[in-house]
Amino acid sequence: MSDDRIIVGTISGSFGVHGDVRLKSFCADPEALADYTPLTRADGTEIMTIVIKGQTKGALIARVDGITTKEEADGLRGMDLFARRDQLPSLPDDEFYHTDLVGLMAFDTGGEKLGRIKAVQTNGAEDLLEIISPLDKDTVLVPFTKVIVPTVDLAAGRIVIDPPGGLFSED
Protein backbone atom coordinates (compact mmCIF):
# COMPACT_ATOMS: atom_id res chain seq x y z
CA MET A 1 0.00 0.00 0.00
CA SER A 2 1.19 3.49 -0.78
CA ASP A 3 2.29 5.83 2.02
CA ASP A 4 0.00 8.53 0.66
CA ARG A 5 -3.12 6.54 1.64
CA ILE A 6 -4.49 6.24 5.16
CA ILE A 7 -7.22 3.85 6.26
CA VAL A 8 -10.24 5.82 7.45
CA GLY A 9 -12.82 3.07 7.81
CA THR A 10 -14.02 -0.45 7.09
CA ILE A 11 -17.25 -1.75 5.61
CA SER A 12 -18.57 -4.10 8.26
CA GLY A 13 -21.50 -5.54 6.31
CA SER A 14 -25.00 -4.78 5.14
CA PHE A 15 -27.79 -2.92 6.91
CA GLY A 16 -31.26 -3.75 5.70
CA VAL A 17 -32.16 -5.10 2.27
CA HIS A 18 -31.65 -2.05 0.04
CA GLY A 19 -27.85 -1.97 -0.16
CA ASP A 20 -27.08 0.23 2.84
CA VAL A 21 -23.85 -0.66 4.62
CA ARG A 22 -22.54 -0.57 8.15
CA LEU A 23 -19.30 1.44 8.28
CA LYS A 24 -16.77 1.41 11.07
CA SER A 25 -15.11 4.83 10.99
CA PHE A 26 -11.59 5.42 12.28
CA CYS A 27 -11.96 9.21 12.18
CA ALA A 28 -12.00 11.35 15.34
CA ASP A 29 -15.44 12.54 14.18
CA PRO A 30 -16.90 9.31 12.75
CA GLU A 31 -19.18 11.07 10.25
CA ALA A 32 -16.21 12.99 8.81
CA LEU A 33 -15.40 9.83 6.84
CA ALA A 34 -17.91 10.99 4.21
CA ASP A 35 -16.05 14.32 3.87
CA TYR A 36 -12.89 12.61 2.57
CA THR A 37 -14.38 11.24 -0.65
CA PRO A 38 -13.32 10.04 -3.07
CA LEU A 39 -12.20 7.06 -1.02
CA THR A 40 -10.45 4.02 -2.39
CA ARG A 41 -11.51 0.52 -1.44
CA ALA A 42 -8.79 -2.03 -0.70
CA ASP A 43 -9.54 -3.63 -4.09
CA GLY A 44 -8.71 -0.33 -5.84
CA THR A 45 -12.29 0.73 -6.65
CA GLU A 46 -13.04 4.41 -5.98
CA ILE A 47 -16.05 5.48 -3.94
CA MET A 48 -17.15 8.94 -5.01
CA THR A 49 -20.11 9.41 -2.66
CA ILE A 50 -21.00 8.26 0.84
CA VAL A 51 -24.21 9.45 2.44
CA ILE A 52 -24.43 8.89 6.20
CA LYS A 53 -28.01 7.90 7.05
CA GLY A 54 -27.67 7.22 10.76
CA GLN A 55 -25.94 5.13 13.39
CA THR A 56 -26.26 1.66 14.81
CA LYS A 57 -24.31 0.04 17.63
CA GLY A 58 -20.61 0.62 16.86
CA ALA A 59 -21.13 1.67 13.24
CA LEU A 60 -22.53 4.23 10.86
CA ILE A 61 -25.33 3.37 8.46
CA ALA A 62 -24.52 4.66 4.99
CA ARG A 63 -25.42 4.57 1.33
CA VAL A 64 -22.31 4.03 -0.81
CA ASP A 65 -22.37 4.61 -4.55
CA GLY A 66 -22.26 1.41 -6.56
CA ILE A 67 -23.88 -0.76 -3.86
CA THR A 68 -27.57 -1.42 -4.44
CA THR A 69 -28.31 -4.81 -2.86
CA LYS A 70 -27.86 -6.53 0.47
CA GLU A 71 -25.76 -9.20 -1.25
CA GLU A 72 -23.35 -6.59 -2.68
CA ALA A 73 -23.02 -4.97 0.74
CA ASP A 74 -22.41 -8.34 2.44
CA GLY A 75 -19.78 -9.16 -0.18
CA LEU A 76 -17.76 -6.12 0.94
CA ARG A 77 -17.68 -7.09 4.62
CA GLY A 78 -14.21 -6.32 5.99
CA MET A 79 -13.26 -4.08 3.02
CA ASP A 80 -10.95 -1.26 4.14
CA LEU A 81 -11.51 2.29 2.88
CA PHE A 82 -8.60 4.66 2.27
CA ALA A 83 -8.28 8.43 1.88
CA ARG A 84 -5.33 10.25 0.38
CA ARG A 85 -3.12 11.81 3.03
CA ASP A 86 -3.56 15.27 1.47
CA GLN A 87 -7.36 15.01 2.00
CA LEU A 88 -6.95 14.68 5.76
CA PRO A 89 -6.37 17.51 8.24
CA SER A 90 -2.87 18.30 9.44
CA LEU A 91 -2.27 17.15 13.00
CA PRO A 92 -0.73 19.03 15.91
CA ASP A 93 2.83 18.04 16.87
CA ASP A 94 1.70 15.65 19.61
CA GLU A 95 -0.88 13.74 17.51
CA PHE A 96 -0.21 11.01 14.95
CA TYR A 97 -2.03 8.93 12.39
CA HIS A 98 -1.92 5.30 13.54
CA THR A 99 -0.49 4.19 10.21
CA ASP A 100 2.56 6.42 10.80
CA LEU A 101 3.34 4.67 14.10
CA VAL A 102 3.11 1.09 12.82
CA GLY A 103 6.57 -0.24 12.02
CA LEU A 104 8.50 2.20 14.21
CA MET A 105 11.22 0.75 16.45
CA ALA A 106 10.66 1.17 20.19
CA PHE A 107 13.53 1.83 22.59
CA ASP A 108 13.60 2.31 26.34
CA THR A 109 15.01 5.49 27.88
CA GLY A 110 18.44 3.82 28.14
CA GLY A 111 18.56 3.06 24.40
CA GLU A 112 17.77 -0.69 24.61
CA LYS A 113 15.62 -1.99 21.77
CA LEU A 114 12.20 -3.10 23.03
CA GLY A 115 10.69 -4.13 19.69
CA ARG A 116 8.69 -2.88 16.72
CA ILE A 117 5.17 -1.42 16.77
CA LYS A 118 2.83 -3.97 15.20
CA ALA A 119 -0.45 -2.07 15.64
CA VAL A 120 -2.22 0.70 17.50
CA GLN A 121 -5.33 -0.44 19.33
CA THR A 122 -8.09 1.92 20.41
CA ASN A 123 -10.19 0.78 23.34
CA GLY A 124 -12.06 3.99 24.07
CA ALA A 125 -10.09 5.13 27.11
CA GLU A 126 -6.62 5.41 25.57
CA ASP A 127 -4.68 4.04 22.64
CA LEU A 128 -2.39 1.07 23.16
CA LEU A 129 0.77 0.37 21.20
CA GLU A 130 1.12 -3.32 20.38
CA ILE A 131 4.85 -3.99 20.32
CA ILE A 132 6.46 -7.20 19.07
CA SER A 133 9.25 -7.98 21.51
CA PRO A 134 12.41 -9.37 19.87
CA LEU A 135 13.31 -11.31 23.03
CA ASP A 136 10.30 -13.59 23.34
CA LYS A 137 8.36 -12.96 20.09
CA ASP A 138 5.26 -12.10 22.10
CA THR A 139 3.46 -8.80 21.87
CA VAL A 140 3.31 -6.27 24.67
CA LEU A 141 0.57 -3.65 25.00
CA VAL A 142 1.90 -0.26 26.08
CA PRO A 143 -0.40 2.65 26.96
CA PHE A 144 0.22 5.45 24.47
CA THR A 145 0.45 8.32 26.93
CA LYS A 146 2.90 11.23 27.07
CA VAL A 147 4.31 9.91 30.39
CA ILE A 148 5.02 6.40 29.11
CA VAL A 149 5.90 7.40 25.52
CA PRO A 150 7.72 10.73 25.89
CA THR A 151 9.29 10.74 22.41
CA VAL A 152 7.93 9.92 18.96
CA ASP A 153 10.41 10.66 16.18
CA LEU A 154 8.77 9.83 12.86
CA ALA A 155 11.75 11.10 10.85
CA ALA A 156 14.13 8.73 12.67
CA GLY A 157 11.58 5.88 12.68
CA ARG A 158 11.67 5.42 16.45
CA ILE A 159 9.85 6.01 19.70
CA VAL A 160 11.16 6.10 23.25
CA ILE A 161 9.21 4.31 25.96
CA ASP A 162 9.57 4.62 29.72
CA PRO A 163 7.70 1.40 30.54
CA PRO A 164 6.29 0.56 33.95
CA GLY A 165 8.28 -2.19 35.69
CA GLY A 166 7.59 -5.73 34.56
CA LEU A 167 5.99 -4.77 31.26
CA PHE A 168 8.87 -6.14 29.17
CA SER A 169 10.87 -9.32 29.83
CA GLU A 170 14.12 -8.83 31.68
CA ASP A 171 17.34 -10.20 30.15
Side-chain angles (χ1 to χ4, degrees):
M1 177 178 45
S2 171
D3 284 340
D4 67 335
R5 295 190 318 161
I6 295 179
I7 186 170
V8 292
T10 299
I11 296 175
S12 50
S14 65
F15 186 86
V17 295
H18 299 291
D20 291 343
V21 298
R22 286 181 289 118
L23 289 176
K24 182 174 181 182
S25 175
F26 304 138
C27 301
D29 171 11
E31 293 190 15
L33 181 137
D35 298 335
Y36 303 132
T37 55
L39 299 179
T40 305
R41 295 184 344 198
D43 64 6
T45 304
E46 278 200 344
I47 296 173
M48 301 306 290
T49 308
I50 295 177
V51 177
I52 306 298
K53 297 176 75 177
Q55 294 186 355
T56 186
K57 184 176 181 178
L60 298 171
I61 303 165
R63 172 66 79 184
V64 176
D65 62 335
I67 302 173
T68 58
T69 67
K70 177 183 181 354
E71 291 75 22
E72 289 173 328
D74 280 334
L76 296 175
R77 182 185 315 266
M79 178 73 67
D80 291 333
L81 303 175
F82 299 89
R84 290 186 331 270
R85 185 179 291 274
D86 63 6
Q87 292 173 275
L88 302 174
S90 296
L91 297 176
D93 287 340
D94 61 344
E95 291 184 24
F96 308 93
Y97 287 114
H98 290 183
T99 192
D100 294 334
L101 299 173
V102 174
L104 296 181
M105 289 302 299
F107 297 86
D108 68 13
T109 54
E112 287 290 319
K113 185 188 294 186
L114 297 174
R116 184 174 300 279
I117 298 176
K118 176 182 177 184
V120 180
Q121 298 182 13
T122 303
N123 65 10
E126 61 188 15
D127 290 341
L128 298 170
L129 300 177
E130 184 177 357
I131 298 176
I132 300 172
S133 172
L135 296 177
D136 52 20
K137 304 298 184 213
D138 287 335
T139 60
V140 177
L141 295 176
V142 176
F144 189 37
T145 65
K146 191 73 170 162
V147 171
I148 295 173
V149 184
T151 304
V152 176
D153 187 344
L154 295 178
R158 61 185 276 140
I159 66 168
V160 175
I161 297 175
D162 187 8
L167 195 58
F168 286 89
S169 299
E170 301 296 324
D171 287 340

